[in-house]
Amino acid sequence: MSQGDNLGPEEGMYVTFLLVVSDQDQSRNFYQSVFGGKVLRERDPVIVEVASTRLILNTGGGPTDDKPTVTLEPPRDPDHVSSFLNIRVADIHAVYQQWRARGAEFLTPPTDWRHELRCYMRDPDGHLIEVGQTTPR
């Protein structure tokens, strides 16, 4: 898709998630190769569609007129988070193997929590991503 293409909804709304990244190319390649994301915009910002969700991957920056006290930056400490992506899958063990083969680095293998199986991984900037599979109760 070119820079001039309209990426907004034709009516109603949709939700996107913005991740502040240090390297747009590296992050775009990660979300495209690991998750099979569809690149809608290459840069400034990168927009990738993953499972009907749009991720905006943009570099940080200082305050602007519409957010005069806010500075955007990648995570300083990947072990202290205030939000993370949560991806639900049908077969966590298959996805875990497939995404590892594509370069994803998981913190642990899937863990059984009775009502769900889950594990966590990080993107190149350290953003935390939960991968989970709901199990029958």
Side-chain angles (χ1 to χ4, degrees), residues 14 17 22 59 63 75 77 99 101 137:
Y14 60 78
F17 195 78
S22 59
T59 54
D77 180 349
W99 291 354
R137 292 183 181 215

Side-chain angles (χ1 to χ4, degrees), residues 1-136:
M1 209 167 238
S2 72
Q3 289 285 100
D5 290 333
N6 181 1
L7 296 175
E10 293 184 24
E11 60 182 82
M13 69 175 182
Y14 60 78
V15 176
T16 63
F17 195 78
L18 181 131
L19 296 171
V20 179
V21 301
S22 59
D23 183 321
Q24 288 182 340
D25 296 328
Q26 179 183 27
S27 294
R28 180 189 62 243
N29 294 341
F30 174 83
Y31 285 96
Q32 184 177 28
S33 65
V34 172
F35 301 118
K38 177 182 176 185
V39 177
L40 303 178
R41 181 177 288 159
E42 290 285 329
R43 289 183 88 16
D44 303 322
V46 171
I47 300 176
V48 180
E49 187 172 68
V50 177
S52 301
T53 298
R54 291 181 181 188
L55 301 176
I56 299 172
L57 310 173
N58 206 2
T59 54
T64 58
D65 290 345
D66 55 346
K67 52 178 183 43
T69 63
V70 177
T71 298
L72 299 176
E73 60 185 27
R76 289 184 195 192
D77 180 349
D79 291 329
H80 291 91
V81 299
S82 62
S83 66
F84 55 86
L85 294 176
N86 185 317
I87 300 172
R88 305 312 279 183
V89 298
D91 184 345
I92 195 169
H93 295 291
V95 165
Y96 174 79
Q97 293 302 327
Q98 180 184 51
W99 291 354
R100 281 185 60 202
R102 293 178 180 173
E105 295 181 18
F106 286 85
L107 303 181
T108 67
T111 301
D112 189 339
W113 292 92
R114 271 187 17 178
H115 63 286
E116 71 176 341
L117 304 170
R118 73 174 186 242
C119 54
Y120 292 87
M121 59 188 286
R122 296 188 192 281
D123 78 357
D125 281 290
H127 293 106
L128 192 63
I129 302 168
E130 176 184 307
V131 181
Q133 175 185 336
T134 303
T135 55

